[in-house]
Amino acid sequence: MKRFLKFLCMCLIMSMAESAHAALPTVKDTVIISAADRKAVTLAEMAENFVDYDVVFFGEFHDQDVLHELEYELLQQLYAIHGDKLVLSLEMFEADNQSVLDEYLAGKISEEDFLGKSRPWPRYKTDYRQLVEFAKEHNLPVIASNIPRFLASKLAKEGTLENVEEQDKQYLPVRTYAPAGKYKEKFTAYMTKGQTPMRIPQARIDQVFAAQCIKDDKMAESIFYYWQDNQDKVIFHVNGCFHSDGHLGTVEKLEALNPALKVGVITPKDMPESKNYMETYADDKKDGEYIIYFPRVVKEQ
């Protein structure tokens, strides 16, 4: 009898696990809409429609698995179109680790050494490894585009970049600025609302916004200077959507460096419970050339 009850418990646990897994959204549960004409398109069609763009931004919510799967599929689609003209750029790696990243891509160091030296994000293996491994397999360059986090943190905490170590100055953007306007208004509204996990007091907004902007400046310059030396390339950049929605943030800084660049933005939006994404389309279309509606999975903080 005890064995039978144990067997039933195991079956129940396995059934619950399978049900939870089945409930997770997949790429098939997402809808991609062209902001220009409200038409639904496939991932392949979106990739093809970006064929003459210099830079394509994929804005993500870092904790949503289905968006990581879409990034990976889009990387493959873009590679099918552009081949070795394609370049991957990531917010998730910082400029002081570019040489380590290059060594790994070239097969000169092991993955263990690479991860030990490059300060990967906590969910690297589940979220971004497949992008890097695809680039490695197909000999594609990967830009470690972001400013080292300790420099951005210094600016956020101290409000200045004075006394930066001499060897670290090379990783600062040539120019950084944090202007008033839509981006700051959006940042302030987000960072001061009650339910925001990273909520900060109004008195610190200017310093923290400056740190946000220095990330944008560095990513924009990383992309721009690479493209400037490789103008036949197409750059696929992945970052948190706050950095690119509405052609603000990193995109705004990049377009200021070269207004002639053709830059496209993909923005993710929560699929309404009603599944009628047209309820929010009028506002959503302002944030990118393409909108990905996806079922959000609420995760524990």
Side-chain angles (χ1 to χ4, degrees):
M1 186 64 177
K2 287 183 179 179
R3 287 185 178 180
F4 180 68
L5 289 174
K6 186 176 181 181
F7 174 74
L8 284 178
C9 287
M10 289 298 296
C11 289
L12 180 61
I13 291 170
M14 290 175 67
S15 176
M16 290 173 65
E18 289 177 1
S19 296
H21 180 72
L24 292 176
T26 68
V27 169
K28 292 181 180 179
D29 298 312
T30 64
V31 178
I32 304 173
I33 300 295
S34 167
D37 55 18
R38 301 197 303 181
K39 292 182 179 178
V41 298
T42 65
L43 195 75
E45 289 170 337
M46 179 172 68
E48 189 63 43
N49 291 341
F50 277 130
V51 69
D52 61 343
Y53 280 69
D54 299 303
V55 185
V56 176
F57 278 75
F58 193 119
E60 65 168 37
F61 292 106
H62 300 314
D63 65 345
Q64 297 298 304
D65 298 346
V66 70
L67 296 178
H68 298 303
E69 287 304 313
L70 283 166
E71 290 162 359
Y72 181 53
E73 291 195 16
L74 182 56
L75 177 64
Q76 296 175 79
Q77 293 285 349
L78 292 172
Y79 178 74
I81 296 169
H82 300 289
D84 63 5
K85 303 290 187 188
L86 185 64
V87 176
L88 177 62
S89 176
L90 296 172
E91 173 194 3
M92 299 79 198
F93 284 100
E94 296 154 23
D96 59 326
N97 286 315
Q98 183 69 63
S99 60
V100 176
L101 179 55
D102 290 343
E103 286 178 350
Y104 176 65
L105 294 172
K108 294 180 180 179
I109 60 173
S110 68
E111 184 176 25
E112 183 180 3
D113 286 342
F114 164 58
L115 296 179
K117 296 175 181 178
S118 61
R119 303 190 303 274
W121 284 22
R123 286 171 53 90
Y124 169 79
K125 288 189 176 180
T126 57
D127 296 349
Y128 308 110
R129 182 180 185 272
Q130 57 190 354
L131 301 177
V132 173
E133 291 302 312
F134 183 89
K136 186 173 187 284
E137 180 183 352
H138 294 89
N139 298 311
L140 302 179
V142 181
I143 303 172
S145 67
N146 212 346
I147 189 170
R149 67 193 74 170
F150 60 86
L151 292 175
S153 179
K154 177 180 174 64
L155 183 57
K157 291 176 181 177
E158 301 175 15
T160 179
L161 287 171
E162 292 180 6
N163 304 317
V164 169
E165 296 290 337
E166 195 62 37
Q167 69 268 20
D168 295 328
K169 290 181 179 179
Q170 62 184 306
Y171 306 120
L172 296 172
V174 174
R175 182 189 178 208
T176 185
Y177 54 107
K182 288 183 180 179
Y183 191 52
K184 186 173 184 180
E185 291 168 6
K186 179 182 175 183
F187 181 85
T188 302
Y190 179 77
M191 296 301 289
T192 56
K193 65 183 181 181
Q195 63 268 38
T196 302
M198 297 183 294
R199 187 173 184 268
I200 59 174
Q202 183 71 40
R204 294 197 62 237
I205 282 293
D206 286 350
Q207 285 183 204
V208 180
F209 181 60
Q212 172 80 1
C213 288
I214 202 171
K215 295 176 184 178
D216 292 321
D217 288 309
K218 184 60 183 179
M219 287 192 283
E221 287 187 9
S222 296
I223 294 167
F224 171 71
Y225 288 121
Y226 187 95
W227 179 86
Q228 193 174 50
D229 293 335
N230 303 273
Q231 296 188 23
D232 61 330
K233 301 290 188 179
V234 174
I235 299 175
F236 177 48
H237 179 74
V238 178
N239 59 208
C241 59
F242 203 98
H243 289 288
S244 52
D245 276 357
H247 281 244
L248 298 173
T250 305
V251 181
E252 184 177 23
K253 298 296 183 72
L254 176 60
E255 292 175 333
L257 289 167
N258 184 351
L261 278 175
K262 192 166 185 180
V263 181
V265 173
I266 301 164
T267 180
K269 301 293 180 183
D270 289 16
M271 176 71 78
E273 289 186 16
S274 66
K275 308 291 186 185
N276 180 16
Y277 46 81
M278 294 309 295
E279 292 175 359
T280 58
Y281 167 79
D283 285 331
D284 296 341
K285 69 178 182 178
K286 302 170 186 175
D287 280 342
E289 278 64 35
Y290 287 89
I291 310 159
I292 298 177
Y293 289 100
F294 71 100
R296 179 180 290 274
V297 174
V298 179
K299 299 187 178 183
E300 293 182 5
Q301 294 294 335

